[in-house]
Amino acid sequence: MKSGFVGIIGRPNVGKSTFLNAALSSKVSIVTSKPQTTRDNIRGIYTTDDLHIVFVDTPGIQKPKSALDRRMAKQTIQALNDCDCLLMVTEANRGQGVSERDIPVIEQIKNADTPVILAINKIDTVSKGLLLPQIEAYADLNFFSELIPISALRNEGVQEVIETLGRYLQEGPMYYPKDMITDSPDHFIIAEVIREKAIMHTHDEVPYSLGVKVEEIRKKGKGVVVIRALVVVERDSQKAIVIGRHGSMLKKIGMDARRELEWLMGKRIFLELFVKVVPNWTKTDKGLSRVLD
Ligand SMILES: Nc1nc2c(ncn2[C@@H]2O[C@H](COP(=O)(O)OP(=O)(O)OP(=O)(O)O)[C@@H](O)[C@H]2O)c(=O)[nH]1
Ligand SMILES: [Mg+2]
């Protein structure tokens, strides 16, 4: 059995979480079209008869501007330290060579003493002719052990990445039971699904200011679970957006979240959502601990 921890790193929005979900044929990490979706290290476990990979999806690497950004950056650095192999993800860029925005990512990992494999994602968005110069440019850095073009969205190249990682990992133990795909606790998964739906339905600065706190998970009768959660925002104007006209937005968010949670948990769910303003919670450590701890 070969096994090990693989950190999935890259700048925001390149498809790290999409890759993880595709690799596991499941959903353990939320995905949206907006950057800075993933805020915590999320473990996703891939197990076959002879391969056991603990993937660690991480927040995208970028210049920190707030207390929340700094917390996210800390998470990413922590994941880097604990890995046997790194999977850097970038995206196809129409042959523009090495993307400027990947430089800080490479800086961050350049001293890593583990192999780094590069997945160039979203190849479904460019023609082959434009992809080749980009692959060459990244190969010319002489930094990556392997370069693999993929489309996580279409599940193309994902298996090849897994097989390649398998070649770089050593013989080792199983870290998790073979049928376990994530070690995230229920309350975390529930909060993340609600946050995903809230991000999807809102725009501008609202997604970044959203936090979700699950206050109660209670079994009620046979196969029914009652969940009470707070959607936290930073300002009254954001609260108005999340609630919407006559509560229409909150209703949409709640309906989408409930549907997905019922699918994930295989139970009927009653979801009660409330919206609360915690002024500037992303800006200070005190604010962070009020919402995230
Ligand atoms: N066209 C295309 N879009 C993709 C592909 N993979 C991911 N995406 C889209 O890219 C966006 C970002 O995907 P995520 O998986 O959330 O990206 P991420 O790197 O985890 O982002 P952060 O968590 O914010 O750092 C989503 O809209 C995805 O649907 C792909 O292979 N092709
Ligand atoms: Mg992500």
Side-chain angles (χ1 to χ4, degrees):
M1 166 75 75
K2 282 187 160 189
S3 72
F5 283 71
V6 173
I8 308 173
I9 51 152
R11 62 181 206 258
N13 214 41
V14 291
K16 299 178 293 299
S17 303
T18 307
F19 168 83
L20 178 60
N21 294 334
L24 302 180
S25 309
S26 184
K27 179 163 174 180
V28 303
S29 194
I30 62 169
V31 168
T32 80
S33 61
K34 288 141 196 156
Q36 295 187 275
T37 296
T38 306
R39 287 181 181 162
D40 297 89
N41 292 341
I42 291 166
R43 279 191 272 276
I45 306 141
Y46 175 91
T47 307
T48 59
D49 288 342
D50 51 9
L51 188 58
H52 181 69
I53 304 179
V54 182
F55 286 106
V56 186
D57 185 18
T58 65
I61 292 174
Q62 50 154 18
K63 214 166 160 192
K65 294 195 200 96
S66 66
L68 178 58
D69 293 345
R70 282 192 291 280
R71 182 181 182 277
M72 287 159 62
K74 237 193 217 161
Q75 291 270 319
T76 306
I77 289 166
Q78 196 180 333
L80 294 177
N81 291 334
D82 298 339
C83 282
D84 302 294
C85 205
L86 290 173
L87 175 64
M88 175 171 157
V89 181
T90 187
E91 61 182 34
N93 69 10
R94 297 174 196 282
Q96 289 159 14
V98 175
S99 169
E100 280 279 307
R101 287 176 301 153
D102 277 341
I103 304 292
V105 180
I106 295 168
E107 273 297 305
Q108 186 84 253
I109 57 178
K110 69 169 190 246
N111 295 321
D113 50 5
T114 54
V116 183
I117 287 159
L118 181 73
I120 302 177
N121 188 31
K122 309 195 186 181
I123 57 166
D124 55 285
T125 62
V126 296
S127 66
K128 261 214 172 92
L130 288 174
L131 189 59
L132 291 177
Q134 185 185 357
I135 297 177
E136 262 169 35
Y138 281 80
D140 285 346
L141 296 174
N142 288 317
F143 177 66
F144 301 104
S145 303
E146 308 270 348
L147 295 92
I148 308 169
I150 70 168
S151 169
L153 194 65
R154 296 194 182 164
N155 209 337
E156 287 167 16
V158 172
Q159 200 53 41
E160 191 186 335
V161 172
I162 294 171
E163 282 162 20
T164 307
L165 289 166
R167 282 195 275 113
Y168 282 85
L169 293 174
Q170 317 271 326
E171 299 280 320
M174 297 257 297
Y175 296 98
Y176 291 95
K178 73 171 188 306
D179 53 0
M180 191 166 175
I181 59 163
T182 185
D183 64 355
S184 298
D186 280 351
H187 69 86
F188 178 81
I189 295 170
I190 292 166
E192 288 286 271
V193 168
I194 297 167
R195 192 164 63 86
E196 180 189 76
K197 304 311 174 195
I199 293 175
M200 281 174 164
H201 285 296
T202 55
H203 305 286
D204 304 321
E205 91 285 15
V206 181
Y208 183 75
S209 293
L210 287 166
V212 176
K213 203 169 175 143
V214 173
E215 300 223 298
E216 191 185 9
I217 306 172
R218 178 166 43 93
K219 284 199 181 115
K220 187 181 171 195
K222 243 192 182 167
V224 180
V225 179
V226 179
I227 296 168
R228 190 158 48 85
L230 273 183
V231 178
V232 179
V233 288
E234 299 196 271
R235 288 200 291 277
D236 287 327
S237 57
Q238 296 171 339
K239 179 174 173 177
I241 292 170
V242 171
I243 292 175
R245 261 182 91 101
H246 307 301
S248 57
M249 176 65 90
L250 195 61
K251 201 166 160 187
K252 259 196 263 181
I253 294 168
M255 237 158 52
D256 284 1
R258 178 178 56 78
R259 251 187 230 131
E260 186 162 315
L261 289 169
E262 289 188 335
W263 168 73
L264 276 172
M265 299 168 73
K267 300 212 168 76
R268 264 189 74 202
I269 304 234
F270 286 113
L271 182 59
E272 297 170 16
L273 291 182
F274 301 88
V275 186
K276 184 180 163 182
V277 178
V278 178
N280 297 320
W281 74 269
T282 64
K283 312 283 192 302
T284 62
D285 290 334
K286 206 167 138 213
L288 293 186
S289 65
R290 273 185 73 186
V291 176
L292 302 176
D293 294 341

